[in-house]
Amino acid sequence: MDGKQPARELRFVLRKAFAECDEIVKQWEETFQHAGQIMRSLMNAMERMNDYVASEGNLGVLSVIPNAEKNLQMKLVRSIERLLSAANTLLEAFKSLCEKVGKVLDSVVTQQQDLQESCSCEDLWSGGYHAQPSIADMLEWIYDVQVELRKELGLREHMMKRINLDAVQSCAGLIDLSQASLFFNLNRYRARSDMVKIHCM
């Protein structure tokens, strides 16, 4: 067998892994956008609830009609509960995507262990030419995806636990923070994925 063949096979394995990660990242971004919409709606509902509670007895016609204020607040509570349920469902979707990345990485590591003994150090740690990423680099990049998405998930889990209807203002900062991508750098991932597609044919 050509001494370079195992290295070519590993590059093919990693290219396939990045194609799988591309789909996972696409789903992550779609879920992220949906989660952002839900969290903004949740914040609006919580602020309305806070305003109604603070203005109880001074809501004009609503304050005159028997049980109108109470019924309105109950509708807002149900709305908030539905939004929280939807947010928790998306949290499970984020968890599932993290697990998928883990499976991709496990598969790559297993195949790497089977092939790397037939590869030279140069094959593993250097590209075939200047622009080509090394096998070690590509493996580390997939590991970075797993670590960064797990951190994003952990942040969202922490936020959901701290959302409290009795502390709307403090929740506003938490919700804003939950809509930011603090750990996963999408642009960097795309640049790396493009390098793999171009240079690992």
Side-chain angles (χ1 to χ4, degrees):
M1 180 186 290
D2 180 353
K4 296 292 183 181
Q5 184 61 25
R8 281 196 289 267
E9 289 183 24
L10 258 179
R11 289 183 185 282
F12 177 78
V13 165
L14 285 158
R15 191 179 193 281
K16 182 175 179 290
F18 265 91
E20 293 176 22
C21 282
D22 284 349
E23 183 58 32
I24 292 169
V25 168
K26 179 183 176 183
Q27 292 176 35
W28 181 279
E29 284 300 299
E30 290 171 353
T31 306
F32 182 86
Q33 294 299 325
H34 191 191
Q37 294 170 359
I38 288 174
M39 296 307 278
R40 286 189 291 273
S41 296
L42 177 61
M43 188 66 247
N44 288 336
M46 290 173 67
E47 287 177 340
R48 287 178 64 194
M49 171 63 84
N50 193 47
D51 290 342
Y52 282 131
V53 170
S55 303
E56 190 170 0
N58 298 297
L59 294 173
V61 175
L62 283 176
S63 298
V64 176
I65 300 173
N67 297 320
E69 289 184 346
K70 181 178 179 181
N71 290 337
L72 178 61
Q73 289 181 20
M74 287 179 65
K75 286 181 180 179
L76 278 172
V77 167
R78 286 194 292 270
S79 177
I80 290 169
E81 288 174 346
R82 285 195 297 270
L83 288 166
L84 285 171
S85 177
N88 279 308
T89 297
L90 289 179
L91 198 60
E92 291 302 314
F94 282 127
K95 287 180 183 178
S96 176
L97 292 170
C98 283
E99 290 171 0
K100 287 182 179 179
V101 174
K103 289 177 181 177
V104 171
L105 184 59
D106 288 345
S107 176
V108 170
V109 169
T110 298
Q111 294 176 79
Q112 177 202 18
Q113 291 171 344
D114 292 338
L115 293 168
Q116 71 178 3
E117 290 185 4
S118 301
C119 301
S120 67
C121 288
E122 183 179 0
D123 290 333
L124 293 173
W125 294 97
S126 301
Y129 49 89
H130 176 68
Q132 188 180 51
S134 71
I135 289 169
D137 282 339
M138 290 186 285
L139 186 60
E140 182 178 354
W141 292 348
I142 294 176
Y143 180 71
D144 285 345
V145 174
Q146 182 189 47
V147 170
E148 291 168 9
L149 291 188
R150 281 181 174 175
K151 285 182 178 180
E152 294 286 350
L153 172 62
L155 174 64
R156 279 155 182 73
E157 289 176 329
H158 178 69
M159 297 299 173
M160 289 303 297
K161 289 177 182 176
R162 295 192 61 186
I163 290 177
N164 186 334
L165 297 183
D166 296 325
V168 175
Q169 293 307 313
S170 62
C171 286
L174 292 175
I175 290 172
D176 287 343
L177 190 57
S178 74
Q179 296 180 65
S181 186
L182 300 183
F183 302 107
F184 179 60
N185 188 322
L186 179 61
N187 290 333
R188 185 182 66 178
Y189 171 78
R190 285 176 174 165
R192 289 173 169 181
S193 181
D194 287 344
M195 286 182 67
V196 173
K197 292 172 189 172
I198 293 168
H199 298 291
C200 296
M201 300 297 290

